[in-house]
Amino acid sequence: DAMVIQNPRYQVTQFGKPVTLSCSQTLNHNVMYWYQQKSSQAPKLLFHYYDKDFNNEADTPDNFQSRRPNTSFCFLDIRSPGLGDAAMYLCATSGTPGGYTNEKLFFGSGTQLSVL
Amino acid sequence: AQTVTQSQPEMSVQEAETVTLSCTYDTSESDYYLFWYKQPPSRQMILVIRQEAYKQQNATENRFSVNFQKAAKSFSLKISDSQLGDAAMYFCAYENAGNMLTFGGGTRLMVKP
């Protein structure tokens, strides 16, 4: 059973056209993450949420925004995608309901973004 | 900030043989977790094995085991009886007390039949 679900699996957008990637989870985890992974590179953390507290990595471009309307859903908005934003975007969750523990991250299957 | 280094961009192993993937990390924290993740061509991140820093005993999961040397900040992965399905990118990762995961650059493992 899928626990961290990312849709769509593949997303194509045009240069400069806003795009939103979605992630949902059935684990009731309080922490959600967005990672960017370019070809043949390690995943790079963009931001994460502790519940509704948003935490941005220092080097995440302003072009990237995120929303978490409730525990189950988290969105990644790219306001003006550039060619350099083409990558795999991985969503992950961790934690136990109501608390923060050092638990493993559960990853979704990712959304591969292409920018034309 | 923590850093994780995987010095082997690519490794190759014969089916049924044993291979060891290297990982070193740098941290000033005493409490943390270390992971090995496998990423096949599907790009799904799959947890292979996990080690708590406060535990001296090396973690094992079936054919996968680690050699955790805390003083040396070394965390290698040993895969025994390698199978074709083990072929993938392997990422070593460090998790701090705040659940923040830092990945190494990855090692591509090829398994020869």
Side-chain angles (χ1 to χ4, degrees):
Chain A
D1 292 338
M3 295 179 287
V4 183
I5 304 154
Q6 290 188 246
N7 285 307
R9 183 75 174 91
Y10 298 94
Q11 175 74 56
V12 181
T13 190
Q14 291 180 335
F15 183 94
K17 184 176 181 180
V19 64
T20 295
L21 310 182
S22 70
C23 176
S24 63
Q25 56 138 335
T26 60
L27 298 163
N28 202 25
H29 280 169
N30 54 333
V31 190
M32 294 188 79
Y33 311 77
W34 278 106
Y35 284 85
Q36 178 193 62
Q37 187 180 23
K38 296 187 177 180
S39 181
S40 302
Q41 295 184 20
K44 178 180 177 299
L45 182 65
L46 295 173
F47 24 59
H48 69 279
Y49 279 90
Y50 277 129
D51 293 322
K52 290 191 174 184
D53 290 335
F54 175 71
N55 298 272
N56 202 24
E57 293 301 297
D59 55 356
T60 298
D62 292 339
N63 197 25
F64 290 83
Q65 303 288 321
S66 184
R67 296 170 285 135
R68 188 178 185 187
N70 53 52
T71 300
S72 301
F73 286 88
C74 194
F75 300 99
L76 170 61
D77 301 309
I78 309 177
R79 293 191 296 190
S80 182
L83 298 179
D85 297 328
M88 172 70 82
Y89 290 88
L90 296 167
C91 175
T93 72
S94 73
T96 54
Y100 308 129
T101 62
N102 279 9
E103 277 293 338
K104 67 178 183 180
L105 269 64
F106 291 79
F107 283 88
S109 55
T111 293
Q112 181 68 49
L113 177 68
S114 300
V115 181
L116 303 180
Chain B
Q2 295 83 26
T3 57
V4 180
T5 303
Q6 293 178 247
S7 59
Q8 307 150 317
E10 278 191 7
M11 290 285 285
S12 181
V13 64
Q14 203 72 34
E15 194 176 7
E17 297 293 311
T18 296
V19 65
T20 298
L21 309 184
S22 302
C23 174
T24 58
Y25 58 95
D26 187 27
T27 184
S28 57
E29 298 177 334
S30 58
D31 187 19
Y32 51 88
Y33 287 70
L34 295 164
F35 302 83
W36 278 97
Y37 280 90
K38 171 185 176 181
Q39 190 177 43
S42 67
R43 306 292 293 274
Q44 175 79 52
M45 278 288 196
I46 302 165
L47 179 65
V48 174
I49 200 164
R50 171 179 182 248
Q51 173 81 43
E52 294 92 334
Y54 62 86
K55 287 188 177 179
Q56 292 185 339
Q57 186 173 5
N58 289 323
T60 62
E61 286 287 342
N62 301 314
R63 297 183 295 107
F64 299 88
S65 62
V66 299
N67 183 5
F68 174 47
Q69 302 290 329
K70 190 172 184 179
K73 296 179 182 173
S74 169
F75 182 61
S76 61
L77 174 69
K78 185 171 82 172
I79 306 174
S80 305
D81 186 25
S82 297
Q83 300 175 0
L84 295 178
D86 295 333
M89 281 291 286
Y90 285 82
F91 289 99
C92 177
Y94 171 102
E95 182 178 308
N96 65 12
N99 288 94
M100 293 302 104
L101 207 59
T102 301
F103 288 91
T107 296
R108 182 175 303 281
L109 178 67
M110 293 172 286
V111 181
K112 298 178 181 177

Short mmCIF file of all heavy atoms in Angstrom, two decimals, chain B residues 79-111:
data_model
loop_
_atom_site.label_atom_id
_atom_site.label_comp_id
_atom_site.label_asym_id
_atom_site.label_seq_id
_atom_site.Cartn_x
_atom_site.Cartn_y
_atom_site.Cartn_z
N ILE B 79 27.47 -5.87 1.28
CA ILE B 79 26.41 -6.65 0.66
C ILE B 79 26.98 -8.03 0.37
O ILE B 79 27.94 -8.17 -0.41
CB ILE B 79 25.89 -6.00 -0.65
CG1 ILE B 79 25.47 -4.55 -0.40
CG2 ILE B 79 24.73 -6.81 -1.22
CD1 ILE B 79 25.08 -3.79 -1.66
N SER B 80 26.42 -9.03 1.00
CA SER B 80 26.88 -10.41 0.80
C SER B 80 25.99 -11.11 -0.22
O SER B 80 24.83 -10.75 -0.40
CB SER B 80 26.81 -11.17 2.12
OG SER B 80 27.55 -10.51 3.13
N ASP B 81 26.57 -12.10 -0.89
CA ASP B 81 25.80 -12.89 -1.86
C ASP B 81 25.05 -11.96 -2.82
O ASP B 81 23.81 -12.03 -2.95
CB ASP B 81 24.83 -13.82 -1.13
CG ASP B 81 24.10 -14.76 -2.05
OD1 ASP B 81 24.62 -15.06 -3.13
OD2 ASP B 81 22.97 -15.18 -1.68
N SER B 82 25.77 -11.09 -3.47
CA SER B 82 25.16 -10.05 -4.32
C SER B 82 24.24 -10.67 -5.37
O SER B 82 24.55 -11.71 -5.97
CB SER B 82 26.25 -9.24 -5.02
OG SER B 82 27.04 -8.56 -4.08
N GLN B 83 23.13 -9.99 -5.59
CA GLN B 83 22.14 -10.43 -6.57
C GLN B 83 21.96 -9.36 -7.64
O GLN B 83 22.25 -8.18 -7.40
CB GLN B 83 20.81 -10.72 -5.87
CG GLN B 83 20.93 -11.79 -4.80
CD GLN B 83 19.64 -11.99 -4.01
OE1 GLN B 83 18.64 -11.32 -4.25
NE2 GLN B 83 19.68 -12.92 -3.08
N LEU B 84 21.46 -9.78 -8.80
CA LEU B 84 21.28 -8.83 -9.89
C LEU B 84 20.38 -7.68 -9.47
O LEU B 84 20.57 -6.53 -9.89
CB LEU B 84 20.72 -9.54 -11.11
CG LEU B 84 21.62 -10.60 -11.75
CD1 LEU B 84 20.92 -11.28 -12.93
CD2 LEU B 84 22.94 -9.99 -12.21
N GLY B 85 19.41 -7.97 -8.62
CA GLY B 85 18.49 -6.94 -8.16
C GLY B 85 19.12 -5.92 -7.22
O GLY B 85 18.49 -4.92 -6.89
N ASP B 86 20.36 -6.17 -6.80
CA ASP B 86 21.04 -5.20 -5.95
C ASP B 86 21.62 -4.03 -6.75
O ASP B 86 22.03 -3.03 -6.18
CB ASP B 86 22.18 -5.88 -5.18
CG ASP B 86 21.67 -6.93 -4.19
OD1 ASP B 86 20.52 -6.80 -3.73
OD2 ASP B 86 22.44 -7.88 -3.90
N ALA B 87 21.66 -4.17 -8.06
CA ALA B 87 22.21 -3.11 -8.90
C ALA B 87 21.37 -1.85 -8.74
O ALA B 87 20.14 -1.87 -8.93
CB ALA B 87 22.24 -3.55 -10.35
N ALA B 88 22.00 -0.75 -8.36
CA ALA B 88 21.28 0.49 -8.09
C ALA B 88 22.29 1.55 -7.66
O ALA B 88 23.48 1.27 -7.52
CB ALA B 88 20.26 0.30 -6.96
N MET B 89 21.79 2.76 -7.45
CA MET B 89 22.57 3.79 -6.76
C MET B 89 22.35 3.59 -5.26
O MET B 89 21.22 3.35 -4.82
CB MET B 89 22.08 5.19 -7.15
CG MET B 89 22.57 5.68 -8.47
SD MET B 89 24.35 6.03 -8.48
CE MET B 89 24.38 7.55 -7.52
N TYR B 90 23.43 3.69 -4.52
CA TYR B 90 23.35 3.58 -3.07
C TYR B 90 23.80 4.89 -2.45
O TYR B 90 24.87 5.41 -2.75
CB TYR B 90 24.22 2.43 -2.55
CG TYR B 90 23.59 1.08 -2.83
CD1 TYR B 90 23.72 0.48 -4.07
CD2 TYR B 90 22.85 0.43 -1.85
CE1 TYR B 90 23.12 -0.75 -4.34
CE2 TYR B 90 22.26 -0.80 -2.10
CZ TYR B 90 22.39 -1.38 -3.36
OH TYR B 90 21.80 -2.60 -3.61
N PHE B 91 22.94 5.43 -1.58
CA PHE B 91 23.24 6.68 -0.92
C PHE B 91 23.41 6.43 0.58
O PHE B 91 22.56 5.82 1.23
CB PHE B 91 22.11 7.70 -1.12
CG PHE B 91 22.03 8.23 -2.52
CD1 PHE B 91 21.11 7.71 -3.42
CD2 PHE B 91 22.86 9.26 -2.95
CE1 PHE B 91 21.01 8.20 -4.71
CE2 PHE B 91 22.78 9.75 -4.24
CZ PHE B 91 21.85 9.22 -5.12
N CYS B 92 24.50 6.93 1.09
CA CYS B 92 24.70 6.98 2.53
C CYS B 92 24.08 8.29 3.02
O CYS B 92 24.14 9.32 2.33
CB CYS B 92 26.20 6.97 2.81
SG CYS B 92 26.68 7.10 4.53
N ALA B 93 23.45 8.26 4.18
CA ALA B 93 22.79 9.46 4.67
C ALA B 93 22.95 9.60 6.16
O ALA B 93 22.96 8.60 6.90
CB ALA B 93 21.31 9.43 4.29
N TYR B 94 23.04 10.84 6.59
CA TYR B 94 23.19 11.20 8.00
C TYR B 94 21.93 11.95 8.43
O TYR B 94 21.49 12.87 7.73
CB TYR B 94 24.42 12.08 8.16
CG TYR B 94 24.59 12.72 9.52
CD1 TYR B 94 25.51 12.20 10.43
CD2 TYR B 94 23.87 13.85 9.89
CE1 TYR B 94 25.69 12.78 11.67
CE2 TYR B 94 24.03 14.42 11.13
CZ TYR B 94 24.95 13.89 12.01
OH TYR B 94 25.12 14.47 13.24
N GLU B 95 21.38 11.55 9.56
CA GLU B 95 20.20 12.25 10.08
C GLU B 95 20.52 12.82 11.44
O GLU B 95 20.90 12.08 12.37
CB GLU B 95 19.01 11.31 10.18
CG GLU B 95 17.74 11.99 10.68
CD GLU B 95 16.57 11.03 10.73
OE1 GLU B 95 16.30 10.38 9.72
OE2 GLU B 95 15.93 10.93 11.79
N ASN B 96 20.33 14.12 11.59
CA ASN B 96 20.62 14.74 12.88
C ASN B 96 19.41 14.66 13.81
O ASN B 96 18.38 14.08 13.46
CB ASN B 96 21.09 16.19 12.68
CG ASN B 96 20.01 17.08 12.10
OD1 ASN B 96 18.84 16.71 12.04
ND2 ASN B 96 20.40 18.26 11.66
N ALA B 97 19.54 15.25 14.96
CA ALA B 97 18.49 15.15 15.97
C ALA B 97 17.20 15.81 15.52
O ALA B 97 16.14 15.54 16.05
CB ALA B 97 18.97 15.77 17.28
N GLY B 98 17.29 16.69 14.55
CA GLY B 98 16.11 17.36 14.04
C GLY B 98 15.50 16.69 12.83
O GLY B 98 14.70 17.30 12.10
N ASN B 99 15.83 15.43 12.60
CA ASN B 99 15.30 14.67 11.46
C ASN B 99 15.76 15.20 10.11
O ASN B 99 15.11 14.92 9.10
CB ASN B 99 13.77 14.62 11.46
CG ASN B 99 13.22 13.73 12.53
OD1 ASN B 99 12.90 14.18 13.61
ND2 ASN B 99 13.16 12.44 12.27
N MET B 100 16.81 16.00 10.08
CA MET B 100 17.31 16.50 8.79
C MET B 100 18.30 15.49 8.21
O MET B 100 19.26 15.09 8.88
CB MET B 100 17.96 17.85 8.97
CG MET B 100 16.97 18.94 9.35
SD MET B 100 15.66 19.14 8.14
CE MET B 100 14.29 18.34 8.97
N LEU B 101 18.04 15.11 6.98
CA LEU B 101 18.82 14.08 6.31
C LEU B 101 19.78 14.74 5.32
O LEU B 101 19.37 15.55 4.49
CB LEU B 101 17.88 13.15 5.57
CG LEU B 101 18.28 11.71 5.32
CD1 LEU B 101 18.56 10.98 6.61
CD2 LEU B 101 17.20 11.00 4.55
N THR B 102 21.06 14.37 5.42
CA THR B 102 22.07 14.82 4.47
C THR B 102 22.60 13.60 3.74
O THR B 102 23.03 12.63 4.37
CB THR B 102 23.23 15.53 5.19
OG1 THR B 102 22.72 16.65 5.92
CG2 THR B 102 24.26 16.02 4.19
N PHE B 103 22.56 13.66 2.43
CA PHE B 103 22.98 12.51 1.62
C PHE B 103 24.42 12.66 1.13
O PHE B 103 24.89 13.78 0.87
CB PHE B 103 22.09 12.38 0.38
CG PHE B 103 20.69 11.91 0.66
CD1 PHE B 103 19.68 12.82 0.91
CD2 PHE B 103 20.40 10.56 0.68
CE1 PHE B 103 18.38 12.39 1.17
CE2 PHE B 103 19.11 10.12 0.92
CZ PHE B 103 18.11 11.04 1.18
N GLY B 104 25.09 11.54 0.98
CA GLY B 104 26.35 11.51 0.25
C GLY B 104 26.08 11.56 -1.24
O GLY B 104 24.93 11.56 -1.68
N GLY B 105 27.15 11.60 -2.02
CA GLY B 105 27.01 11.76 -3.46
C GLY B 105 26.57 10.51 -4.20
O GLY B 105 26.27 10.58 -5.38
N GLY B 106 26.55 9.38 -3.51
CA GLY B 106 26.06 8.16 -4.14
C GLY B 106 27.16 7.30 -4.72
O GLY B 106 28.22 7.78 -5.13
N THR B 107 26.90 6.00 -4.74
CA THR B 107 27.76 5.02 -5.39
C THR B 107 26.89 4.16 -6.29
O THR B 107 25.90 3.58 -5.83
CB THR B 107 28.46 4.11 -4.36
OG1 THR B 107 29.32 4.88 -3.55
CG2 THR B 107 29.26 3.02 -5.07
N ARG B 108 27.26 4.10 -7.56
CA ARG B 108 26.50 3.25 -8.49
C ARG B 108 27.07 1.85 -8.43
O ARG B 108 28.26 1.64 -8.71
CB ARG B 108 26.59 3.79 -9.91
CG ARG B 108 25.78 2.97 -10.92
CD ARG B 108 25.79 3.60 -12.29
NE ARG B 108 25.28 4.96 -12.27
CZ ARG B 108 24.00 5.31 -12.23
NH1 ARG B 108 23.07 4.36 -12.22
NH2 ARG B 108 23.64 6.57 -12.21
N LEU B 109 26.24 0.89 -8.03
CA LEU B 109 26.67 -0.50 -7.94
C LEU B 109 26.18 -1.28 -9.15
O LEU B 109 25.00 -1.28 -9.46
CB LEU B 109 26.13 -1.15 -6.65
CG LEU B 109 26.49 -2.63 -6.49
CD1 LEU B 109 28.00 -2.80 -6.30
CD2 LEU B 109 25.74 -3.25 -5.32
N MET B 110 27.12 -1.91 -9.81
CA MET B 110 26.79 -2.79 -10.94
C MET B 110 27.05 -4.23 -10.51
O MET B 110 28.07 -4.52 -9.87
CB MET B 110 27.62 -2.42 -12.14
CG MET B 110 27.28 -1.05 -12.69
SD MET B 110 28.41 -0.50 -13.99
CE MET B 110 29.85 -0.10 -13.02
N VAL B 111 26.14 -5.12 -10.86
CA VAL B 111 26.28 -6.53 -10.52
C VAL B 111 26.40 -7.33 -11.82
O VAL B 111 25.50 -7.29 -12.66
CB VAL B 111 25.07 -7.03 -9.70
CG1 VAL B 111 25.25 -8.50 -9.34
CG2 VAL B 111 24.89 -6.18 -8.44
#
